[in-house]
Amino acid sequence: MAVPVVARQGNALMSLSFQADIDSLRSELPEWAGRRINSITRNALNDAIEDARWAEQDKIRGVFDRPRPLTEKAPLYRKATNETLTAWVYIRDEASGGTAPAKYLMPQVLGGKRGAKRFETALRAIGVMDAHEFAIPAIGYKRDAYGNVPGSTIVAILSQLKAHRDVGYMMNETAPSAARNRRSGKARYFVPSGVRSEKAIGRLPRGIYERRGNAIRAVFMFVRQPTYRKRYDFGQAASAKVSRVFWSYWERHFYAELRKHQARLVS
């Protein structure tokens, strides 16, 4: 029997196609099956590609520590049709209000230097961060369930530092609200100027700090561009899964069609 042909196309590292090569089967099948072979193959590919998507999700859960739901569910699939007999598994390349998984997972597939995140770009735009600086969570600062600085903290930082812009409106902190927040003892965020005359604060290492009353602690530290090693072999799990399950699905759908054909003969 033929086997699925695996081909990378489009965004080559984040998209994987599976095309069934069934030409050698056509001459071996009875006439009724020859008419249904595309439908049988399409259904088998679609069952297999769904399994492939789940296999890639399991791979992500095994590679990354506490991945966010968007990352965990980043593998998607596109079903085959009777005409193409090609199914795809790929990494989501869009995200509502954030960075698409295909973009931030690419360095994990290739290795290499990480790109700037949205909040880093916003801070660079107003001069808070230099172009060569990147922000990493400070050791000991509170994290969310996924090991990251909470999103509410990042929103507060961007708002107070006047870097928070969303579609169609500003979310920056006004002077009256800033005064109220100071009086109430809410967290205030700042970046040290580096000026030695500003006592100890001015000499703090580059980063973003939180002040509550007299207590100061680091939230993010500014570092050189981080470099990732290759961690996520995209497509390996999907390819292995399709190779294991495709023909069992094909035979299942073939015998389902055979039962229908036999039922029509006796009706």
Side-chain angles (χ1 to χ4, degrees):
M1 275 192 172
V3 296
V5 175
V6 180
R8 294 184 187 271
Q9 296 181 15
N11 188 349
L13 288 167
M14 307 302 277
S15 181
L16 190 65
S17 67
F18 297 87
Q19 185 174 32
D21 178 10
I22 55 173
D23 288 342
S24 61
L25 289 177
R26 294 183 186 276
S27 61
E28 302 173 14
L29 294 175
E31 182 181 355
W32 71 266
R35 294 193 300 269
R36 301 298 298 163
I37 189 170
N38 279 26
S39 177
I40 293 168
T41 305
R42 177 204 65 202
N43 292 338
L45 274 172
N46 290 340
D47 286 345
I49 205 67
E50 187 169 0
D51 283 1
R53 188 267 300 268
W54 291 118
E56 285 297 321
Q57 289 190 4
D58 286 342
K59 181 79 171 183
I60 285 175
R61 284 190 287 268
V63 168
F64 301 106
D65 178 31
R66 294 172 292 170
R68 287 182 172 275
L70 182 64
T71 302
E72 186 176 326
K73 297 178 181 178
L76 302 175
Y77 66 92
R78 186 179 306 140
K79 290 185 174 183
T81 67
N82 280 0
E83 292 70 35
T84 65
L85 295 183
T86 303
W88 299 77
V89 62
Y90 62 98
I91 298 298
R92 185 190 301 270
D93 57 4
E94 51 78 27
S96 176
T99 304
K103 182 176 180 179
Y104 62 73
L105 285 175
M106 185 69 80
Q108 307 286 351
V109 175
L110 285 175
K113 295 182 177 180
R114 147 166 107 70
K117 297 180 179 180
R118 290 184 71 194
F119 84 95
E120 292 169 329
T121 301
L123 292 174
R124 289 176 182 178
I126 62 169
V128 170
M129 291 181 67
D130 294 336
H132 67 277
E133 291 180 322
F134 291 76
I136 62 170
I139 295 174
Y141 191 79
K142 63 184 178 183
R143 309 291 181 91
D144 62 18
Y146 308 108
N148 302 311
V149 173
S152 58
T153 299
I154 294 176
V155 169
I157 290 170
L158 293 175
S159 177
Q160 290 183 22
L161 298 180
K162 308 301 181 188
H164 201 311
R165 289 170 171 80
D166 212 327
V167 178
Y169 65 98
M170 302 279 289
M171 293 181 64
N172 291 326
E173 186 180 60
T174 64
S177 64
R180 287 194 301 271
N181 289 338
R182 279 192 292 271
R183 289 194 299 269
S184 66
K186 289 186 177 180
R188 311 299 301 157
Y189 300 97
F190 68 94
V191 176
S193 65
V195 178
R196 295 181 66 83
S197 61
E198 295 182 2
K199 299 183 180 180
I201 291 178
R203 295 194 294 272
L204 288 171
R206 291 279 294 166
I208 299 173
Y209 292 80
E210 176 187 277
R211 187 205 311 262
R212 289 181 184 268
N214 294 324
I216 293 175
R217 60 175 174 169
V219 182
F220 288 101
M221 304 308 299
F222 294 166
V223 299
R224 294 179 180 178
Q225 189 171 19
T227 299
Y228 293 127
R229 62 180 176 82
K230 295 180 182 180
R231 297 178 63 194
Y232 174 32
D233 185 10
F234 169 73
Q236 182 274 330
S239 297
K241 175 62 75 171
V242 170
S243 296
R244 286 198 302 271
V245 303
F246 175 77
W247 286 112
S248 62
Y249 280 131
W250 199 93
E251 290 176 0
R252 180 186 302 176
H253 288 290
F254 174 83
Y255 286 114
E257 290 292 336
L258 174 60
R259 288 191 293 272
K260 292 178 185 177
H261 175 70
Q262 292 171 334
R264 285 193 293 269
L265 292 178
V266 298
S267 62

